[in-house]
Each structure stands twice: as structure tokens, then as C-alpha cells.
Amino acid sequence: MARFELKLPKMGESVAEATITNWLKEVGDKIEMDEAVLEIATDKVDSEVPSEVSGILIEQLFGKDDLVQVGQTIAIIETEGGSSFLVDKVAEEAVVPAEVAAIEKTIEIAKEAVAPTDYTTSDKFFSPLVKNIAKEENVSIAELESINGSGKDGRVTKEDILTYIAGRKDKPEAPKTETKVAVAAPVKVQEQVVSKAAPVSVNGGDEIIEMDRMRKLISGYMVASVQTSAHVQSFIEVDVTNIVKWREKVKTAFEKREGEKLTFTPIMMEAVAKALKDFPGMNISVDGDYIIKKKNINLGMAAALPNGNLIVPVIKNADQLNLVGMAKAVNDLGNRAKAGKLKPDDTQGGTYTVTNVGTFGSVFGTPIINQPQVGILALGAIRKVPAVIETPEGDFIGIRQKMFLSHSYDHRVVDGALGGSFVKRVAEYLEAFDVNRDF
């Protein structure tokens, strides 16, 4: 018999940890190769961890709601034959006690040299990543415990501690006795103001429903985005009559040939990707005082889930896709989002986001920026409206298909000229749509 270590797999370059939400297999259960063993949740999506081997689950190293780092062993599976992927207990027990003591002593010395502050004395949970950042920046236990975490159950995330450190560096140093007065007192006052300004009364007929994990995360992201970015909006009305006519003409043939439905979304995404190539200043992110120009154009596609929550899967290298490829990507991500089958990497790496508020009949909206991006475009509902049509023979009134584009952008780094020019270019691409084009 051999033993296999089931590790938490890499789930995208920016995903370092995940929370175990449910064990699908219990100790003693038989597992087939590629069969899901447990369910996990990152800060964006829920996912399953499949087994790489067939065998019997003999040990669960973490419980439900435990936070696990990428690469950590989460379970032990006993397999038939083959070489062992885990050090045998016999080999472990063969180590002389003196050697064990020496090894433990070496580890302790290394810990003391690298991390003089012992964060394990805190009653609060902090991930290894957060602890490492705290050690490097000499953040004390008291400071770390004072940070209001935006993660699950109030846990401090990487973004929380980096924001705290950035704020701390901007402030001049002051005596510790004064710091206690300046920091502790305002917090109490703020809590009092909040409780008085927003009282919540509950009567016997009210139903109290706790937010689910994703809704709590969304709530934190939205508030953090508004507090981070200076939101400004630009609106433009677009005549999409040619697009409506062309889609109506080819949608049946498109579905028959490609096996995919042709919606308006991939057509809009195609125009946005082109405009981002024309205006790379919109395809950026902000890191403190630095602007990061993104090499790839990865379009986030906000999607509403059946439970009322929102998720943003990402179309990677969207500018390199033709309309067929864009339609397949849009449909695939949309379908997997509704079915809860998105992988963590599907929501990572977005550089700009598009949200279709017109799906629910909204004419336009003022969407909140998906951090750390600097812009988001809302697509309004397409409506038949009377419009002035200019011709060489004169102007006349006709029925046209029109929609509004609502562009929210971060005024810290995007001025009105760029924000307005970008959304205008998207409109120009849509209005110049070739009705004779092939798909």
C-alpha cells in the first residue's frame, strides 16, 4: 500500500489560500481518480478539489471552515501498490529522539532569527501571508489585531494589511502614549456615530437573514472600491440599429454552424477590446503611487447568479479573439457561472470590466469599479426610439434601436478626456458595424 498527499492546487497567480467549505468524502470512503474530494472557496469563487489518484481516504488534515494555503497537504489517500508519496510512519519513528530535538531546536532558532514577534499569542487568526507581511513591516500584535478585516469572519486579508501599512507610512511617528489617545478614542466615537446614524429596528414580523459568504465578500469589495477610487461617470447614447438587424439576420445560421447562441454581449465585448487597444490608458491598475500598464487585455464579464449574487469571470486576451471565439468564451463563462462550475483562475487577472445592466431593463447605470481596475462599462437596454436621421435630402424622424453606454472610471488616474474619449470610441465601433460582415 502507498500513501498519497492531496495538496491544495494552484488556482491562479493571485490566489494564495482557500477556505474548506465542505468535505464530499469522509475517512474510509473509496475515491476514484478525478473524483471531487472536497469543496473550497476562495475570495471569488467556490470550487472542488479532485483526487489525482484512486484509493481510500484515510485522513483529513483540515476541517470545515479551515483556511488552507496553496500547496499545503489537506488529505491523505491510501492507494494500491506503487511508491509512497508520503514519508512512512516507520521511517518517521526511526528518527532518533536526539535528532528530533536537534531539528526542533534548529527550527526554533530560525524562527526567532526571522520572526522576533510571536503572532501565535493572539486569539485572532491570521494567515501565513499576512503574518509574513506584518513581520517584514514590523507590525506589532496590537496593531495587527486593531485592523478591521474584510475577509471571512472579519479576517485580515493581504489588501487590509497593505492598506494599513501604507496609511501608517504616510503618518509622522508619534510617542506611543499619544498614539493610544489619537487612535483608540476616535474609534469609539465613530462607533457611536454609526450606531446613532443608522439605527436598525426589528419587529415581530421582520425576517432576519444572515448574508452568505459571497454576499459578505461582495459587500466588502463594493465599500472598499468606493473608498479607494474617485468614481466619475460619462454617458453616451449609441445607435445600434445595424447590429440589431445583422444579428437577427445571422443568429440562426450562427447557432447552426457554431453550436452557440449569438447574443449582443460578444459584439459589445469585441468593440470594447478594440477601444482598449486604442486607449491603453484605460487598461491599467493602480498600486499606491504607481500606475501599472497591463500587457494583456482581459475583459471581466459581470454575471448575475441564480442566488442573487454577482461574479465576474474573465475573458483572457479578449483582443485576440474573433467574434466566434468571443461568443464561445462569453457563453462558456456565463453558463459555468450559473452552474457554479467556475474555477478560481476564471475570475483572476481582469484588466477592465463590462456589465450588462440592460438585461434587467435598466436604461443605464453607474457601476462600481472592480478593483484594482480603473474602469467599468455598463451596457444599457436596447430600445426602439424616435430619432432624427440626417440625409443629403434633409433630416427626418425615424425609428432607431438605441442604447446608453455608462462609463465609470477612476478619476485619480483617468481624467475626463480619456474616460470620455474611450467610451466614445466604443460607440463609434458599434455605430460603424458592418452589416455585410461574416461571422
Side-chain angles (χ1 to χ4, degrees):
M1 304 296 285
R3 303 170 73 196
F4 176 81
E5 290 184 349
L6 179 64
K7 300 179 183 293
L8 184 64
K10 184 175 175 59
M11 300 170 291
E13 59 183 38
S14 62
V15 181
E17 58 189 21
T19 301
I20 296 177
T21 56
N22 185 36
W23 280 96
L24 302 177
K25 296 291 183 178
E26 298 298 332
V27 173
D29 288 350
K30 186 176 181 180
I31 300 171
E32 299 296 333
M33 183 180 293
D34 294 327
E35 187 177 8
V37 179
L38 69 158
E39 295 175 338
I40 58 172
T42 68
D43 60 346
K44 294 288 181 67
V45 298
D46 296 346
S47 185
E48 296 177 342
V49 177
S51 174
E52 301 173 41
V53 297
S54 297
I56 305 295
L57 179 63
I58 62 173
E59 190 173 358
Q60 296 174 347
L61 301 181
F62 293 90
K64 184 178 179 181
D65 296 328
D66 282 350
L67 195 66
V68 185
Q69 302 300 307
V70 169
Q72 275 191 296
T73 302
I74 50 182
I76 307 298
I77 299 173
E78 191 171 64
T79 63
E80 291 285 345
S83 59
S84 179
F85 292 88
L86 184 69
V87 179
D88 291 333
K89 287 185 178 180
V90 176
E92 292 176 354
E93 293 172 357
V95 179
V96 181
E99 293 178 345
V100 174
I103 294 171
E104 291 178 348
K105 182 63 177 177
T106 302
I107 294 173
E108 289 301 320
I109 294 173
K111 285 183 177 179
E112 291 176 5
V114 177
T117 304
D118 183 10
Y119 295 98
T120 60
T121 59
S122 175
D123 293 332
K124 296 182 67 175
F125 174 84
F126 300 105
S127 69
L129 178 61
V130 169
K131 290 179 183 178
N132 288 336
I133 295 174
K135 292 171 186 175
E136 292 174 2
E137 298 294 335
N138 294 320
V139 177
S140 67
I141 296 177
E143 288 180 287
L144 197 56
E145 290 180 333
S146 69
I147 299 174
N148 292 324
S150 61
K152 178 180 174 61
D153 298 328
R155 289 173 178 169
V156 177
T157 65
K158 173 186 175 183
E159 289 72 21
D160 294 332
I161 190 168
L162 290 179
T163 301
Y164 173 79
I165 292 169
R168 188 178 64 166
K169 288 180 178 178
D170 292 338
K171 297 178 182 178
E173 293 186 2
K176 292 184 178 179
T177 53
E178 295 180 6
T179 303
K180 290 182 179 179
V181 175
V183 175
V187 171
K188 294 181 179 179
V189 173
Q190 184 180 14
E191 290 175 353
Q192 292 175 359
V193 172
V194 171
S195 62
K196 291 181 179 179
V200 178
S201 61
V202 180
N203 60 43
D206 295 337
E207 182 182 3
I208 301 174
I209 303 173
E210 183 181 3
M211 293 184 188
D212 60 24
R213 184 191 64 84
M214 184 173 285
R215 177 49 55 183
K216 290 177 183 177
L217 289 170
I218 293 172
S219 175
Y221 291 147
M222 296 300 99
V223 173
S225 181
V226 172
Q227 292 176 342
T228 300
S229 297
H231 282 64
V232 177
Q233 282 82 28
S234 292
F235 307 92
I236 191 166
E237 191 174 26
V238 191
D239 189 331
V240 292
T241 304
N242 287 344
I243 292 176
V244 173
K245 289 181 178 179
W246 179 83
R247 175 182 171 273
E248 187 63 30
K249 180 178 68 175
V250 306
K251 65 179 183 181
T252 302
F254 185 94
E255 184 174 2
K256 184 176 180 180
R257 192 184 85 177
E258 303 297 336
E260 300 280 350
K261 290 185 179 296
L262 178 62
T263 64
F264 289 109
T265 301
I267 300 173
M268 306 296 173
M269 289 291 199
E270 181 184 55
V272 172
K274 289 180 180 179
L276 285 173
K277 291 190 73 172
D278 296 340
F279 294 95
M282 287 304 311
N283 199 53
I284 66 173
S285 62
V286 180
D287 185 9
D289 295 331
Y290 296 93
I291 294 173
I292 302 172
K293 288 187 175 181
K294 297 295 185 178
K295 179 181 179 181
N296 299 326
I297 295 177
N298 299 332
L299 289 182
M301 182 184 72
L305 300 177
N307 61 4
N309 288 326
L310 183 72
I311 199 164
V312 186
V314 177
I315 302 172
K316 307 293 175 60
N317 299 310
D319 58 314
Q320 299 178 19
L321 299 175
N322 59 17
L323 187 58
V324 173
M326 189 73 77
K328 289 180 180 294
V330 167
N331 292 342
D332 173 57
L333 291 172
N335 292 335
R336 287 197 287 123
K338 293 177 182 177
K341 298 297 183 181
L342 287 176
K343 299 176 182 178
D345 194 48
D346 291 329
T347 62
Q348 304 297 321
T351 60
Y352 188 87
T353 297
V354 178
T355 179
N356 191 352
V357 299
T359 301
F360 310 103
S362 296
V363 178
F364 57 80
T366 55
I368 296 175
I369 296 169
N370 186 17
Q371 296 294 329
Q373 299 165 25
V374 298
I376 180 172
L377 185 70
L379 309 175
I382 298 176
R383 303 169 301 136
K384 287 184 179 180
V385 297
V388 175
I389 301 174
E390 298 179 358
T391 68
E393 291 75 26
D395 299 342
F396 65 93
I397 301 295
I399 303 299
R400 306 295 290 177
Q401 301 271 6
K402 289 197 172 187
M403 66 180 293
F404 280 99
L405 302 179
S406 310
H407 187 209
S408 294
Y409 47 95
D410 189 343
H411 211 0
R412 294 178 303 164
V413 290
V414 180
D415 293 327
L418 175 57
S421 297
F422 169 77
V423 71
K424 182 182 178 183
R425 182 62 54 85
V426 176
E428 289 171 349
Y429 278 129
L430 294 176
E431 291 188 338
F433 190 86
D434 183 6
V435 293
N436 296 315
R437 69 176 285 181
D438 190 13
F439 50 81

